[in-house]
Structures are given as structure tokens and as C-alpha cells.
Amino acid sequence: HAISFAVEDNTDVYVSFRESNQRYQVKILGYDKVADVALLGLSEKFPSVKISNNANMRMGDAVFSISHFYGIGWSGTQGTISSNRRNDTRYPYVNNLQLQLLQGSGSSGGPVFNYKGEVVGLNRSIVSMYPRTLLEISRSTSMLSMVGYPVRGDTLIKAVKDIRRDIIVVHLDLGVTLIDFGPESAFHLNYADDDLSFPVGTMVLNVDDGITTTLVPSDIIISIDDRKFNTAL
């Protein structure tokens, strides 16, 4: 979403690096709107960073992010992983991290690093709240958050591969919002009862208007064509 205007208006995009004032024009090689990832191409060669598949990320691990927080220039913030997996309920194959990390307008697109220097996420969205201090500029432009949901490294890796292959990645949209569901989910949703047995499957949270289906919210899908599954993936 950080460069969507360039795609829509055919606007030139430039990047710069902290150690120099020189700008470099880039080519938009492709994008995945659902994963919120764009792939940009540079004719010059620069050092690169490794993207982690997040296999070893755990709740409580320390991370830090580099971004243009509030547009004031290069800024680094540090925080903690609150959850190593938060699926997008509309597109459950998109994995996000949940971070306790100070972010705001201008953080989008910034990398999230572990302390090995590997990229474990890409800043995507935050839970917005407004600061109530003398430094507040305006309620319409000044947003702060301690809760962020960056795209997780493994989704980032897959998105890049898909973009290289297809240029513009299009995902099937069933018009249904789903979440994984099982006995533990039932407990947390206050559905738990010692005398009831809840199936493991995928719960329907929402069905879009105009979609022709017999599914209704709270339905739990446990199999399709006799193939059982326990995840919305």
C-alpha cells in the first residue's frame, strides 16, 4: 500500500540509502495486494539482508524495526513479539506477526529484524491510537501504536517467489471470512461445556452480501469432498 499510488498513477519511484543523498529510480517488478508486498528492481547492486522463514521465532523474542517514523527520517525502534502467528481472517494463508513495538505513520514498509540481523517481518498495519501530549500535531495526521501486524517472513518469501513468477499475484476470494476452530477456540469464545464435543475445523465468521452459499456465520467446516482438515490454510 506504500507505493500503490505509483501503480495507479504510473508515477516514478525512487529509493535512497542512509549513507548517501543520492536517489535511485526503481522499477516496480510486481506486487501482491493481499500480502501487501511489492517487489522493486534496481539496476545497481547493493548489500542485501536475509529474510528469515520465522521457524524459530517465539513469543517474547526481541525485535527492532527501521522506518521513517512520522516522516522525520531514519528511525529505529525496538519491541517484543506478542504472537508469532496472526492469520488474516479474510485471507488465512497470509501470516502476520503481532508486535509490541512503537510505530506510527511512516512505519509502513519498514523491515522488522531479529537480533541476528535477519528480516522477520515487513511493517504492514497497526492498531491506531492518538497521542495526547503537547507534541501532538493533529488528530487526523498523528497516529501512534504499540501493536503492529507486520507480514511474517515466510509469507514475505512466498510473496516474492509468486511475484517473480506471476508479476501481479491474484488470490481467489470466496467472499467468506474464516478462522481455525477447535476445542481450545470454543473455550476462549465461552462456548465450552464439559458435556459438549466441538469439531476441529474452520469457522465461518462472515459471509459477504451477494454471495450465493448455504454457509452462515458460526458454521464449522470440517471436510470438503470427504477430505478432513483442521486449518483454514
Side-chain angles (χ1 to χ4, degrees):
H1 72 271
I3 64 162
S4 58
F5 69 91
V7 176
E8 296 165 358
D9 300 336
N10 196 29
T11 303
D12 292 337
V13 178
Y14 295 85
V15 299
S16 61
F17 296 89
R18 187 171 183 267
E19 62 271 16
S20 71
N21 293 321
Q22 187 172 353
R23 297 194 309 163
Y24 302 88
Q25 187 171 359
V26 298
K27 180 180 179 181
I28 301 174
L29 301 180
Y31 53 86
D32 180 337
K33 284 188 175 181
V34 172
D36 202 7
V37 175
L39 186 62
L40 309 179
L42 275 165
S43 57
E44 295 83 357
K45 290 187 178 296
F46 295 93
S48 60
V49 292
K50 178 182 177 181
I51 303 176
S52 170
N53 64 6
N54 299 84
N56 298 317
M57 297 303 293
R58 299 172 300 176
M59 184 185 300
D61 282 355
V63 293
F64 69 95
S65 178
I66 298 175
S67 67
H68 294 274
F69 188 72
Y70 275 171
I72 60 176
W74 299 91
S75 299
T77 53
Q78 61 181 355
T80 306
I81 294 179
S82 302
S83 173
N84 61 4
R85 179 170 178 172
R86 289 286 188 225
N87 289 115
D88 188 313
T89 57
R90 183 58 180 266
Y91 302 98
Y93 41 81
V94 175
N95 292 319
N96 301 307
L97 292 171
Q98 179 183 329
L99 304 182
Q100 180 183 354
L101 176 74
L102 183 62
Q103 298 178 82
S105 301
S107 294
S108 292
V112 179
F113 294 93
N114 61 20
Y115 276 80
K116 295 180 181 178
E118 301 168 331
V119 175
V120 297
L122 190 69
N123 289 328
R124 177 189 190 193
S125 61
I126 61 176
V127 175
S128 300
M129 54 186 173
Y130 296 97
R132 297 185 180 277
T133 72
L134 295 176
L135 297 178
E136 180 177 6
I137 301 172
S138 75
R139 292 182 63 87
S140 62
T141 61
S142 187
M143 293 188 297
L144 281 175
S145 177
M146 285 297 294
V147 181
Y149 296 94
V151 180
R152 219 171 67 170
D154 51 355
T155 292
L156 182 56
I157 292 171
K158 183 179 185 304
V160 170
K161 290 180 179 178
D162 289 344
I163 292 168
R164 287 187 181 278
R165 184 178 67 247
D166 298 329
I167 307 302
I168 299 175
V169 181
V170 178
H171 295 279
L172 178 65
D173 189 343
L174 299 177
V176 178
T177 302
L178 307 170
I179 60 168
D180 298 341
F181 190 86
E184 184 176 347
S185 305
F187 178 82
H188 288 293
L189 292 174
N190 297 319
Y191 292 162
D193 190 305
D194 292 339
D195 297 326
L196 296 179
S197 177
F198 284 86
V200 173
T202 300
M203 174 181 276
V204 178
L205 288 185
N206 180 66
V207 179
D208 287 2
D209 293 338
I211 299 297
T212 302
T213 177
T214 57
L215 294 170
V216 296
S218 78
D219 279 351
I220 301 175
I221 307 170
I222 61 174
S223 67
I224 296 179
D225 293 334
D226 296 325
R227 181 179 178 182
K228 293 186 177 182
F229 58 90
N230 57 14
T231 171
L233 298 176

